[in-house]
Amino acid sequence: MSRMQDIMTDKVGIFRRGDLLQEAVTELQELLLRSRRIGIATRRAGSNPELVSAYRVQKMLKLALCVAWGALQRTESRGAHYREDHPRRDDAGWLRRTLACWPDPAGTLPRLDYEALDVSRMELPPGWRGYGARDAIAHPATAARAAEVAAIRAAGAQADRFTIQNALMPWEDLLPAPFRGRNARLGETS
């Protein structure tokens, strides 16, 4: 487990490079194969921490491989993760969720699929947030959604934040009734 931690810290951190990500994936695959031959020495009845660790290590390695393999495939910089070999944020190509699964239990890499995000349902469409460089490829629907958001805010200029929020992104009906209460901010009286 300590080797996996070192790999993830040294090669799959905040600042990333394709060559280091590839090394991480290769090393994690080797560790996953080795983990399938783990033996335990403790044979006594009752609680066995060694058995628990042996059981968890493959799951932890698979999760590490999901992160490292997904990061290697994502050829852009986004949020807190910066690819030195791909410094530009690419909303047109990568504004989507990475979904990983393990259809083959004997496999050493997850299958990756991607789920597109619907920009028209975002309260705050993707765009520059005031940090880092403005080096990005915009999503084709960003400008239209930004205009919609500005129009909704202008039309509801006198409305409370809950009304504006609901106009921007209706979601309350998706919650079970007991969880539909209003949240409060510090210092807010209404």
Side-chain angles (χ1 to χ4, degrees), residues 11 20 50 63 72 75 79 91 110 113 118 131 147 158 186:
K11 299 180 181 182
L20 292 177
E50 187 182 12
L63 183 57
L72 179 61
T75 53
D91 288 346
D113 293 308
D118 185 359
Y131 56 88
Q158 302 305 317
L186 289 175

Side-chain angles (χ1 to χ4, degrees), residues 50-144:
E50 187 182 12
L51 178 61
V52 172
S53 292
Y55 177 72
R56 288 182 177 166
V57 73
Q58 281 188 38
K59 295 179 184 325
M60 290 173 22
L61 283 163
K62 283 184 169 185
L63 183 57
L65 275 160
C66 288
V67 172
W69 181 239
L72 179 61
Q73 303 310 305
R74 188 174 278 271
T75 53
E76 67 152 359
S77 291
R78 176 165 302 276
H81 300 288
Y82 181 77
R83 282 283 300 259
E84 294 174 4
D85 50 344
H86 296 281
R88 178 175 283 174
R89 189 177 95 192
D90 182 3
D91 288 346
W94 284 105
L95 189 63
R96 50 195 174 145
R97 289 183 186 95
T98 303
L99 307 173
C101 67
W102 291 83
D104 178 9
T108 60
L109 283 177
R111 183 184 79 214
L112 299 179
D113 293 308
Y114 299 94
E115 177 182 55
L117 298 177
D118 185 359
V119 173
S120 69
R121 296 181 50 85
M122 293 180 175
E123 176 184 4
L124 191 60
W128 187 67
R129 301 286 182 252
Y131 56 88
R134 285 189 181 200
D135 188 15
I137 300 169
H139 188 279
T142 295

